[in-house]
Amino acid sequence: MEKKTLKVEGMSCGHCVKAVTEALSAINGVADVNVSLEDGEVFFSHDSALAPLETIRAAIIEEGFKVPA
Amino acid sequence: MEKKTLKVEGMSCGHCVKAVTEALSAINGVADVNVSLEDGEVFFSHDSALAPLETIRAAIIEEGFKVPA
């Protein structure tokens, strides 16, 4: 498991935090998901074979947020 | 059924709109719930015997928003 941080744009409230947290936690190979609403960041650990970064980015975008490159 | 509009403070995104819409729609005696995120307002019809305004205000507050008097 590798620790990562991604910037997430567009989170405005606790519901957004919950949406991102639940979306990432549901991915096999992702653990320890934590979201900072203030900083617009998500912290997590992932197994890059099971859950490559592109899968994680796609899951966040699917929830309606932006993940700047 | 009587048409009403209430001001709701603190809605910042589509998840908030959904939370308020679902909370009010679940109340017996409330129908036609519509939320304007831009204007911070909720529109609905209610049967004031089944669903008095105080019940509706309490449901919105329960979701974490403010309903100014």
Side-chain angles (χ1 to χ4, degrees):
Chain A
M1 297 290 259
E2 200 181 335
K3 287 189 180 186
K4 273 276 164 43
T5 302
L6 283 177
K7 276 275 173 201
V8 178
E9 290 178 357
M11 297 188 298
S12 58
C13 72
H15 299 110
C16 296
V17 169
K18 190 159 175 269
V20 171
T21 304
E22 291 183 352
L24 296 206
S25 299
I27 300 170
N28 191 23
V30 175
D32 303 328
V33 181
N34 271 291
V35 173
S36 167
L37 178 59
E38 293 73 25
D39 300 329
E41 289 182 329
V42 57
F43 313 95
F44 54 91
S45 300
H46 76 130
D47 177 328
S48 57
L50 279 172
L53 212 51
E54 220 23 72
T55 300
I56 294 166
R57 292 166 56 92
I60 298 169
I61 290 162
E62 175 76 18
E63 292 297 322
F65 305 103
K66 287 190 178 165
V67 183
Chain B
M1 295 289 258
E2 199 181 336
K3 288 189 181 187
K4 273 275 163 46
T5 301
L6 284 176
K7 277 277 173 199
V8 179
E9 290 178 357
M11 296 188 300
S12 59
C13 73
H15 300 110
C16 296
V17 170
K18 190 159 176 269
V20 170
T21 304
E22 292 182 352
L24 295 206
S25 299
I27 300 171
N28 191 24
V30 176
D32 304 327
V33 181
N34 271 290
V35 174
S36 167
L37 178 58
E38 294 72 25
D39 299 328
E41 289 182 329
V42 57
F43 313 95
F44 54 91
S45 300
H46 74 132
D47 177 328
S48 58
L50 278 173
L53 214 51
E54 220 24 72
T55 299
I56 294 166
R57 293 166 57 94
I60 298 170
I61 291 164
E62 175 77 15
E63 293 297 322
F65 305 102
K66 287 188 180 168
V67 184

